[in-house]
Amino acid sequence: MFLVAGEALIDLVPRPSGPAEEGPLAPLVPCPGGGPYNTAVALGRLGEEVAFCSRLSTDGFGTALLAGLRTAGVDVTLVQRGPEPTTLAVATLTAQGSAGYSFYAQGTADRLFSVPRTLPEGVRAICFGTCSLVLEPGASAYEELLRQQSRAGVFTLLDPNIRAGLIPDPAAYRARFLDWLPYVDLLKLSEEDAAWLGDDVAGWAAAGPAAVVVTRGGEGLHVTTRKGEEFSVPGVPVEVVDTIGAGDTVNAALLHRLAALGPLRDDAVAALGGEGWRDVLGFAARAAALTCSRAGAQPPYARELGLD
């Protein structure tokens, strides 16, 4: 089983229906979102056994988020509930489909996450990232879970997915990020995230992760291994509707393909080699392209990637 730990929220995404509604007054459509949520849904659509570990509101949005997980085949046993409202993220899209976000997260349900007493049997890997590692008091609980599961030998993936507007002290966050690396087996981040964090990919790989994968939008994906090897694949040409959820799809695709090639262990990933990495990165690029070809975070199903 894969486990994804982190926030679920509602993205309010502009969806103009005609020229008169384009621009800043375009209607906002609520869509399920949050990096960890999207990753869990993507894993479920790929046919993986996956559970989501988070805290959702009992409001209408929280109930809709829970239903979306169940529809994707995600185990929700570890989902905590509370009466606080659901976090909202207002998205703005560039002409190229890239998204920026403004968050409404004060006093929301996902911030009050606590570490579960027990996890399901047979967890092979656990994925963390995005707002859940920023917003306290939940951030400290997720950090505790990361360290706990790493020490227990569970394969860990970290996607910082930086939302700079939520980080009041960038220097403190960057220091905290470096403290996480000894507990991370696979670090995945966008080139924008890498630049914000200091652009030290080789140093991050040496600090703990078996590999660091950097997404480069239409230019494809690049990996740097702990041994200093580097491999790349080009992007898959596609007509981009928006990029929402593309990075989260990459998280799921990396875990899915790595698990298909061998045991999900730090040493196995470190020894993968060029042929293996090009296979893994190529699969992730195809999955992300499909997500970019449609509106909102809509990761592909297994059949769309020829897995049935």
Side-chain angles (χ1 to χ4, degrees):
M1 171 181 281
F2 292 103
L3 184 62
V4 182
E7 83 281 351
L9 51 78
I10 293 294
D11 288 327
L12 298 174
V13 182
R15 287 286 179 268
S17 58
E21 292 181 313
E22 292 178 352
L25 296 181
L28 296 173
V29 177
C31 301
Y37 180 92
N38 296 336
T39 297
V41 168
L43 281 165
R45 290 185 176 186
L46 289 175
E48 294 289 356
E49 184 182 8
V50 54
F52 190 55
C53 184
S54 184
R55 189 173 188 274
L56 300 184
S57 175
T58 53
D59 66 13
F61 283 144
T63 300
L65 288 164
L66 197 67
L69 291 166
R70 288 178 170 141
T71 298
V74 179
D75 186 324
V76 296
T77 305
L78 293 174
V79 173
Q80 304 160 22
R81 305 296 300 275
E84 303 81 13
T86 297
T87 298
L88 303 178
V90 179
T92 55
L93 301 177
T94 68
Q96 294 74 37
S98 296
Y101 298 91
S102 299
F103 291 89
Y104 296 84
Q106 188 65 36
T108 50
D110 52 320
R111 298 184 69 159
L112 298 179
F113 169 80
S114 58
V115 178
R117 292 183 179 179
T118 60
L119 297 183
E121 293 284 338
V123 173
R124 294 190 289 167
I126 184 167
C127 178
F128 296 88
T130 320
C131 309
S132 55
L133 287 171
V134 175
L135 299 172
E136 295 289 7
S140 292
Y142 285 112
E143 181 177 325
E144 180 184 342
L145 185 60
L146 166 65
R147 296 174 189 267
Q148 175 196 99
Q149 292 305 299
S150 175
R151 292 186 182 113
V154 175
F155 188 87
T156 57
L157 184 153
L158 172 64
D159 174 14
N161 202 7
I162 299 299
R163 302 297 184 227
L166 288 176
I167 302 175
D169 188 341
Y173 180 88
R174 292 181 181 113
R176 197 172 188 179
F177 165 74
L178 294 177
D179 287 341
W180 295 330
L181 294 182
Y183 303 94
V184 174
D185 295 307
L186 178 61
L187 174 64
K188 172 262 166 183
L189 65 176
S190 70
E191 59 183 348
E192 295 83 7
D193 293 341
W196 191 91
L197 287 164
D199 233 351
D200 185 19
V201 172
W204 299 334
V212 179
V213 173
V214 178
T215 61
R216 295 176 168 176
E219 299 302 312
L221 294 91
H222 182 88
V223 65
T224 301
T225 71
R226 185 188 296 141
K227 296 186 290 185
E229 298 172 312
E230 298 186 44
F231 309 104
S232 297
V233 299
V236 175
V238 67
E239 184 174 342
V240 175
V241 175
D242 65 49
T243 62
I244 297 173
D248 312 320
T249 298
V250 169
N251 293 338
L254 291 173
L255 288 173
H256 172 85
R257 201 62 174 176
L258 286 169
L261 292 180
L264 267 179
R265 295 198 318 263
D266 176 272
D267 58 341
V269 171
L272 194 56
E275 182 178 350
W277 273 116
R278 281 185 280 271
D279 177 287
V280 170
L281 298 179
F283 179 79
R286 295 196 304 275
L290 283 170
T291 302
C292 290
S293 72
R294 44 210 186 195
Q298 289 296 331
Y301 292 88
R303 64 179 180 275
E304 296 178 283
L305 292 163
L307 298 179
D308 283 359

